[in-house]
Amino acid sequence: MMFIAEHQTITSAFLFITYILFGLVLSMLVTGTSRILGNASEILKSVTTAFGYLWVGLVIASGMIAISGVTYAIDIAHTDAQKALDAWTILMTIAQSIGGDNEIVGAVWVILVSVLALKADVLSKNLNYLGIAVGLAGVATITPLMIFKELFGVSQIIWFFWLGVCFLRQASDDVSLTNSRRSPC
């Protein structure tokens, strides 16, 4: 707790970047992916978008709990170090449970985006197959095996990057996202 107290600013900044900022950027990605799936089934597109925004909310809520937890635990540490450590452990468990340790909601979103993109014939098949694999790794994070968390995290970064490149290419070609067809991405 002393280490956290001594590094409260950097700890809170790290939590802000990894949860809240990521959630804000993710909300833009959810909106963008919803737009490129224009030819997909409206019902499935709505479910996909709902999972995306649910994931955004969970990630941001998790970050808010974690940041508040830092302040709360440090305040308690001045009078009872053990109670502060217990509070920190509980709050971080809650934060990780909502938006970090199990990735089911985000994984389902990635799978749905990828499957719908395949059906709508947007983006490349390889990107969409990668998305399905990424999503399956995310679903597997419900197991206690750490390898799936690591696999989901790393492979998702690759998928996000590739998807972002596709969005940038489409934007630079002045192609409307709502009217886009299969991208060379």
Side-chain angles (χ1 to χ4, degrees), residues 82-153:
Q82 185 58 50
K83 186 176 177 183
L85 183 58
D86 293 344
W88 171 256
T89 302
I90 291 167
L91 289 166
M92 290 304 106
T93 299
I94 292 168
Q96 285 297 309
S97 297
I98 292 172
D101 276 345
N102 62 62
E103 298 287 355
I104 294 172
V105 174
V108 169
W109 176 74
V110 172
I111 291 170
L112 288 171
V113 165
S114 300
V115 168
L116 288 178
L118 278 170
K119 286 185 177 206
D121 200 27
V122 294
L123 306 171
S124 77
K125 287 186 179 188
N126 289 335
L127 174 59
N128 295 325
Y129 290 137
L130 173 63
I132 292 168
V134 168
L136 291 174
V139 170
T141 62
I142 62 170
T143 69
L145 301 172
M146 283 297 291
I147 187 70
F148 292 116
K149 293 172 185 161
E150 295 164 1
L151 183 61
F152 178 70

Side-chain angles (χ1 to χ4, degrees), residues 42-93:
E42 284 301 316
I43 293 172
L44 289 176
K45 195 166 86 170
S46 294
V47 170
T48 301
T49 303
F51 266 94
Y53 288 128
L54 177 59
W55 189 25
V56 167
L58 290 171
V59 169
I60 291 173
S62 180
M64 292 177 356
I65 291 168
I67 292 169
S68 294
V70 169
T71 303
Y72 179 74
I74 289 171
D75 288 347
I76 294 173
H78 297 298
T79 57
D80 188 340
Q82 185 58 50
K83 186 176 177 183
L85 183 58
D86 293 344
W88 171 256
T89 302
I90 291 167
L91 289 166
M92 290 304 106
T93 299

Side-chain angles (χ1 to χ4, degrees), residues 17-34 48-60 99 103 105-107 109-110 113 152 156 159-160 163 167:
I17 291 167
T18 57
Y19 286 103
I20 295 173
L21 185 59
F22 172 71
L24 295 172
V25 172
L26 182 60
S27 71
M28 291 183 269
L29 185 62
V30 170
T31 301
T33 56
S34 178
T48 301
T49 303
F51 266 94
Y53 288 128
L54 177 59
W55 189 25
V56 167
L58 290 171
V59 169
I60 291 173
E103 298 287 355
V105 174
W109 176 74
V110 172
V113 165
F152 178 70
Q156 188 178 47
W159 185 77
F160 279 147
L163 186 61
F167 281 7

